[in-house]
Amino acid sequence: MYLPDFEYYSPDSLAEVCQLLSQFGSRAKLISGGTDVIVKMKNELLAPEVLVSIKNMDQLKKIEYVPGKGVVIGARATHNDLVYSELLAEKFPSIPGAAKQMAQNQVRNAGTVGGNICNAVPSADLPPILIALGATVNVIGVNGERSLALEDVFTGPNTTCLAPDEVITEVVIPDQKTTGSTYIKFGLRAAGALAVAGVASAVCVENGVIKDARVVLSAVAPTPMRAKKAEAFLKGKKITDELLAEAGSIAAEECKPISDYRASAEYRRNLVGVFTKRSLRKAINEGHV
Ligand SMILES: Cc1cc2nc3c(=O)[nH]c(=O)nc-3n(C[C@H](O)[C@H](O)[C@H](O)COP(=O)(O)OP(=O)(O)OC[C@H]3O[C@@H](n4cnc5c(N)ncnc54)[C@H](O)[C@@H]3O)c2cc1C
């Protein structure tokens, strides 16, 4: 469980971070809170020769509202920064709601939004609710900046479309008409357990009719996954228990779970059915929770 030797850089500018990542290429690893990187190094799953830290990038800690843009969350905001954000409590409490369900206090104090996205495990808890809320991410690299939909970042388990020199700087939740959103997960312990399956829902409801819905599933596919057939089925329909149950069945049909030591594929599929219905009902009845 000892750490292997490595060189450590902690630059003061994002330009330097990207330059170092580009210079060292596959020999380097970006580190933010380190709750994934250090654990993997100790377990000999990762042995970078160089660690490039973004811990000095205080500008990436912000959580603010920018008129015309939306809620901007810096990539170095920790899970507990989300939990205690007054702005998020007012605008999208479903985001702190998801962060509260993650890990233990120590991990929530160190782990960051950018790290949770870029670690790209299928069971990560923040991507589903952020995708359900239509998040985009801003990215900087040696060749400049770009913006892309969060759901397009993930390419498979532990892989993203980011180039080795690219850093996520912020996540943007656009202004929108959603009336409710929530993320619920099932873990093998009441606290501090990874999701066996999770479902985030975001809905726009007018006069008892679902005008729009996003349903995003975690831990039941190689990447966080939108249940697009269930979303399309819900649109324009009057809310009934039968409708939400049917949406759950459709989502269960379209997910792609595997069996592993935490649950069988069949069990996960059943969870998706039940949790889709439950999360939609919660988002409809309770708003952004
Ligand atoms: C005990 C324990 C419990 C946990 N429980 C949960 C849980 O319940 N739910 C959950 O979802 N996760 C959980 N995790 C995983 C982990 O804490 C989170 O994924 C965390 O958000 C990672 O953030 P970090 O800043 O520590 O990432 P790091 O370890 O610093 O980095 C993770 C990866 O992301 C890359 N990266 C980091 N920031 C950026 C950026 N801004 N731009 C580009 N690449 C970047 C790194 O290069 C690395 O590949 C747990 C971990 C531990 C150790």
Side-chain angles (χ1 to χ4, degrees), residues 29-40 46 54 60 75-76 79 101-104 107-108 110-121 123-127 162 166-169 185 192-195:
K29 188 80 185 155
L30 174 76
I31 184 168
S32 184
T35 61
D36 287 313
V37 168
I38 298 295
V39 172
K40 281 185 185 161
L46 200 64
I54 54 171
L60 304 189
R76 267 205 48 77
H79 308 316
Q101 298 178 58
M102 295 173 68
Q104 307 78 2
V107 174
R108 287 199 297 271
T112 64
V113 174
N116 195 238
I117 292 170
C118 295
N119 198 40
V121 296
S123 60
D125 288 308
L126 291 180
L162 299 189
E166 283 187 316
V167 180
I168 291 188
T169 53
K185 84 184 212 190
L194 294 177

Side-chain angles (χ1 to χ4, degrees), residues 14-253:
L14 274 168
E16 271 180 273
V17 169
C18 298
Q19 192 275 323
L20 285 165
L21 290 170
S22 169
Q23 179 186 331
F24 291 109
S26 59
R27 293 165 54 210
K29 188 80 185 155
L30 174 76
I31 184 168
S32 184
T35 61
D36 287 313
V37 168
I38 298 295
V39 172
K40 281 185 185 161
M41 287 173 73
K42 284 191 169 176
N43 289 332
E44 298 179 2
L45 298 169
L46 200 64
E49 292 169 35
V50 177
L51 282 180
V52 182
S53 172
I54 54 171
K55 80 171 171 51
N56 292 342
M57 306 294 116
D58 281 348
Q59 71 273 34
L60 304 189
K61 293 277 287 174
K62 67 188 164 198
I63 302 177
E64 62 187 24
Y65 179 70
V66 180
K69 194 170 172 186
V71 172
V72 178
I73 302 174
R76 267 205 48 77
T78 65
H79 308 316
N80 268 344
D81 289 336
L82 304 183
V83 169
Y84 298 115
S85 161
E86 286 178 17
L87 176 73
L88 292 178
E90 181 203 328
K91 293 259 184 203
F92 298 115
S94 52
I95 298 175
K100 268 182 215 159
Q101 298 178 58
M102 295 173 68
Q104 307 78 2
N105 224 13
Q106 297 95 318
V107 174
R108 287 199 297 271
N109 275 332
T112 64
V113 174
N116 195 238
I117 292 170
C118 295
N119 198 40
V121 296
S123 60
D125 288 308
L126 291 180
I129 188 64
L130 296 174
I131 292 170
L133 291 168
T136 56
V137 290
N138 294 333
V139 174
I140 190 167
V142 284
N143 293 323
E145 297 181 39
R146 64 182 176 127
S147 172
L148 66 162
L150 174 57
E151 63 189 281
D152 294 337
V153 166
F154 304 98
T155 50
N158 302 106
T159 59
T160 70
C161 69
L162 299 189
D165 62 278
E166 283 187 316
V167 180
I168 291 188
T169 53
E170 53 192 29
V171 178
V172 181
I173 316 292
D175 283 326
Q176 54 194 288
K177 277 181 113 187
T178 54
T179 51
S181 61
T182 197
Y183 172 68
I184 55 176
K185 84 184 212 190
F186 179 80
L188 295 181
R189 291 187 305 273
L194 294 177
V196 170
V199 181
S201 296
V203 293
C204 175
V205 174
E206 282 174 23
N207 303 319
V209 170
I210 299 184
K211 293 284 176 194
D212 200 7
R214 277 183 177 233
V215 177
V216 187
L217 314 176
S218 65
V220 290
T223 63
M225 175 196 156
R226 278 183 64 191
K228 289 193 176 171
K229 287 182 188 161
E231 292 176 358
F233 168 77
L234 287 162
K235 260 185 211 176
K237 299 220 171 71
K238 199 169 159 22
I239 297 160
T240 61
D241 267 350
E242 293 71 32
L243 181 85
L244 303 187
E246 183 59 22
S249 301
I250 296 170
E253 275 294 305

